Amino acid sequence: MTEPAAPTGTVHWVGAGLSTGSGLAALCEHTDGVRLWHRTAERAAGALDRLGLTGRAEPCAYTLDALTARLAPGDVVVSMLPAPEHAGLLAACVARRAHFACSSYVSDAVLEQVPAATGAGIVVLTEAGLDPGVDHLFAHSLVGRARAAIGDDTAASYRFTSYCGGVPAIPDDFRYRFSWAPLGVLNALRSPARYIEDGAEAVAERPWEATRGHRLDGEDFEVYPNRDSVPFVRQYGLPDAWRPLTFVRGTLRLDGWLRAWDAVFAQVRQGDDAAIAALARELAAAHPTTPDDRDRVVLAVSLEVHPPGARGDAGGEGAAWAGSYLLDLVGDEEESAMARCVSRPLALGVRHILDGSLPPGLSRAAGTAARSEQWLRELTDDGLEFAFREGG
């Protein structure tokens, strides 16, 4: 591996969509080398004006070639583009020895470039938004606390759940407002979910069919599994001596969502790609998000660890350790809750690239319990509020 690429302080923030919020402003407070790339320089300037950042960042017209031409070794590229475009951006970063950051899950196309990126001495920061992102920080923190309390070699069973959702702050009949592209929401519903339930792996071919009630602070929600939860058992560092009774990462919706979406599910069951794309357009037109709407983000992560014979494991007397995090944030006229919760953690991760504290190679958010605790403290200082509770 070559020497790590020394950060220059120049940050190329690519894209100014719904998730670009106050995190960009936070970066401008830490470096004067921010460039915002958008479809045209005029659109970029308009986005900076909307964010109150005129004169604090340079507006640029984005094409991959134009961006590549301005990359220098040690620059940081932040991709707010759709996930399929990350691989091309990362390839340009590897070629120019520029660091890379995004809030999306690691795709195969990104993962296969990690060895070259590591060899080039650059950081590849991924899964550093809300979900994935803050959920990882919460999970690493909970697992670290439980390991300290119980010990890695102590036989135990555990239940872990992580649910996140963007919902309307004022519930509507549809029980939802689209905080990201409707087509993405529908395609996520078409993807099977793998998780652990009752001590065994389970697969929900249609994730919404595994929906159940979930109560948080006296309020009823509905939750269902999504994607593949199982690899995160290892990613979160849960000890081999602990047996998972439940391990689920999934989506949170308002109570009544399952019934309100019954007609949507009927079309998702039967539709091909073209029909689903048409349905997405219909839903976008029927349920538009207006400037007066206020969104709400809820992220709830919990871990209970039980010794043999404890309640939750063959009906014993209680958990050896239990803890949970809850983030519940409503947007305001200045910024949506989703934009704040995605852009603030991502900007924090970029700051850690700039200060040289992230090693070359792949990082999924903070990646360790100790680093997660640090990031959570810093996010609190940045004004992102959440609550930790220990005990049942």
Side-chain angles (χ1 to χ4, degrees):
M1 185 181 74
T2 59
E3 288 295 315
T8 61
T10 298
V11 177
H12 305 264
W13 189 285
V14 184
L18 293 176
S19 294
T20 293
S22 58
L24 184 60
L27 270 182
C28 290
E29 294 173 3
H30 286 81
T31 177
D32 57 5
V34 176
R35 296 168 181 163
L36 178 63
W37 296 80
H38 206 15
R39 295 174 188 173
T40 66
E42 290 74 21
R43 284 177 177 250
L48 291 173
D49 181 64
R50 184 178 71 252
L51 294 167
L53 297 176
T54 298
R56 298 178 61 189
E58 178 186 351
C60 303
Y62 174 73
T63 66
L64 183 56
D65 287 343
L67 171 68
T68 303
R70 296 195 65 182
L71 288 182
D75 285 1
V76 182
V77 171
V78 182
S79 178
M80 302 298 286
L81 300 180
E85 299 189 45
H86 292 338
L89 277 172
L90 178 56
C93 289
V94 172
R96 296 300 180 110
R97 297 194 66 220
H99 306 288
F100 175 85
C102 72
S103 61
S104 301
Y105 284 100
V106 181
S107 67
D108 291 341
V110 166
L111 193 60
E112 67 187 18
Q113 296 186 64
V114 168
T118 306
I122 65 172
V123 177
V124 180
L125 175 63
T126 63
E127 302 182 14
L130 169 64
D131 174 11
V134 179
D135 59 339
H136 293 345
L137 304 183
F138 288 172
H140 280 294
S141 172
L142 292 173
V143 172
R145 291 168 185 263
R147 290 175 64 178
I150 295 171
D152 290 359
D153 298 327
T154 301
S157 60
Y158 65 89
R159 299 184 184 277
F160 174 90
T161 61
S162 177
Y163 294 113
C164 184
V167 299
I170 300 175
D172 55 4
D173 290 341
F174 194 51
R175 314 302 286 173
Y176 189 70
R177 287 285 185 189
F178 290 101
S179 58
W180 57 304
L183 183 58
V185 175
L186 296 180
N187 280 332
L189 289 172
R190 300 170 75 194
S191 301
R194 187 167 72 120
Y195 56 102
I196 297 173
E197 192 65 69
D198 296 327
E201 287 189 15
V203 175
E205 294 295 335
R206 296 167 175 159
W208 72 86
E209 293 182 350
T211 298
R212 64 176 183 81
H214 193 65
R215 194 165 180 82
L216 292 171
D217 277 2
E219 184 175 357
D220 291 324
F221 295 92
E222 295 176 350
V223 295
Y224 62 90
N226 60 18
R227 302 178 69 95
D228 187 355
S229 297
V230 176
F232 291 90
V233 172
R234 183 167 297 278
Q235 182 173 320
Y236 291 160
L238 285 146
D240 292 338
W242 299 3
R243 180 172 64 93
L245 297 176
T246 300
F247 191 96
V248 182
R249 300 178 73 253
T251 298
L252 178 144
R253 295 288 183 251
L254 292 176
D255 187 44
W257 168 82
L258 190 66
R259 180 178 298 177
W261 275 52
D262 190 58
V264 175
F265 299 140
Q267 295 181 68
V268 172
R269 285 188 184 96
Q270 301 174 4
D272 57 15
D273 287 349
I276 296 302
L279 176 60
R281 292 191 292 272
E282 293 173 12
L283 292 174
H287 305 282
T289 299
T290 73
D292 293 329
D293 290 323
R294 296 290 173 260
D295 69 328
R296 177 186 180 191
V297 166
V298 181
L299 169 61
V301 183
S302 68
L303 174 64
E304 296 180 0
V305 185
H306 309 267
R311 186 176 64 241
D313 187 3
E317 290 303 320
W321 187 89
S324 63
Y325 278 99
L326 177 62
L327 182 156
D328 190 346
L329 180 67
V330 174
D332 55 31
E333 64 276 3
E334 294 183 359
E335 181 180 29
S336 71
M338 188 63 68
R340 176 179 292 270
C341 291
V342 172
S343 68
R344 284 281 180 166
L346 182 56
L348 175 61
V350 172
R351 281 156 48 191
H352 283 297
I353 296 176
L354 294 175
D355 68 20
S357 61
L358 285 180
L362 180 65
S363 291
R364 290 177 168 93
T368 67
R371 194 177 293 153
S372 293
E373 295 286 0
Q374 177 188 348
W375 283 32
L376 290 174
R377 288 192 298 270
E378 291 170 328
L379 286 173
T380 299
D381 293 341
D382 285 347
L384 194 64
E385 297 181 358
F386 50 84
F388 167 71
R389 179 181 298 167
E390 188 169 358

